[in-house]
Amino acid sequence: MEEPEAITVDNTEQTPEVTPQEATIPANVISFKHVNISQRKLRVLTDISFNMKQGEFVYLIGKTGTGKSSILKTLIGELKPEGEEAMMIGYDLLNLKKKQIPEMRKKIGVVFQDYQLLQDRTVIENLMFVLRATQWKDKSAMLNRCEEVLTLVGLETKDFKLPSQLSGGEQQRVCIARALLNSPDLILADEPTGNLDPITAEEIFQAFHHINQAGTTILMATHNFQMIDKFPSRAICIEDGKLIDSLV
């Protein structure tokens, strides 16, 4: 298979009025100490601890139903954890207020297995929707940013296509472009190749690793062990409610 052109990412902050305090990212992008996570009052994970440093690429692995998605939901503010410490990009998830969640989500990118694209809008309209939702105002700057991220993922000629006119791999690349719009400090990917064939899955893994090599921190939940073997990195395994870290 032909090696795709390396992707480079401009991590310059695009959103306006960022104070120095907001722009400072701690050495540990994620820091969990003795954290409990529950869904609908049912305990999913107990006493978990792990750290992620800035610039790392970490796989989150484990059987279906072990809690991978629960960790990601906690990191985007959908679930409220309990415990000693749960920090992400400087936000205290234990005491996170609802009004802080939109602000926090501007600084992370999320890539889903099922794409979650607006089916009645073109690629560029999907991206513009996100920029408007994150308080971008200048239409020219918005269009320029959309073109930049689509070029980064090799879709610069697909901007006026509807999602239904794209392959599964192309739709996932749109999702990666969407995640990059606000030059995030962290990208969370939830089984991003779960619906893709092996060749397309490899292309998506290469894209993520190129983005990481350019400086973006990435946490990917996946069960694609074939791709993990091809693109090795630190892995955290969830087993019987506990975390097993490949670095420990």
Side-chain angles (χ1 to χ4, degrees), residues 37-165:
I37 297 175
S38 302
Q39 289 206 61
R40 299 176 183 175
K41 299 183 179 180
L42 177 66
R43 182 68 55 83
V44 178
L45 293 165
T46 302
D47 196 28
I48 62 171
S49 299
F50 75 100
N51 293 326
M52 263 189 78
K53 291 183 170 55
Q54 189 171 6
E56 273 197 289
F57 191 117
V58 176
Y59 294 116
L60 187 60
I61 61 177
K63 295 178 181 178
T64 301
T66 54
K68 299 189 301 295
S69 293
S70 295
I71 290 178
L72 297 183
K73 287 179 180 179
T74 300
L75 291 171
I76 65 173
E78 283 189 15
L79 298 178
K80 194 171 185 66
E82 299 174 336
E84 182 179 329
E85 179 179 283
M87 300 293 296
M88 184 190 69
I89 59 171
Y91 287 86
D92 180 359
L93 301 177
L94 298 177
N95 299 296
L96 190 68
K97 296 179 173 58
K98 283 187 178 181
K99 66 180 181 181
Q100 291 179 292
I101 293 176
E103 170 192 298
M104 180 186 74
R105 288 179 179 172
K106 289 182 198 175
K107 301 178 183 180
I108 59 177
V110 183
V111 179
F112 302 97
Q113 177 180 347
D114 56 357
Y115 315 136
Q116 296 193 14
L117 295 170
L118 301 171
Q119 295 298 312
D120 60 342
R121 304 191 189 194
T122 64
V123 167
I124 200 161
E125 287 171 343
N126 268 272
L127 301 184
M128 292 287 281
F129 177 84
V130 172
L131 291 179
R132 283 192 294 270
T134 51
Q135 283 76 56
W136 284 60
K137 304 295 183 185
D138 187 322
K139 187 173 182 180
S140 177
M142 293 162 69
L143 288 170
N144 287 339
R145 184 57 182 159
C146 291
E147 291 172 3
E148 287 171 1
V149 295
L150 287 174
T151 299
L152 290 175
V153 298
L155 291 180
E156 60 272 22
T157 64
K158 306 285 186 177
D159 48 354
F160 291 104
K161 296 280 189 180
L162 290 168
S164 60
Q165 297 173 306

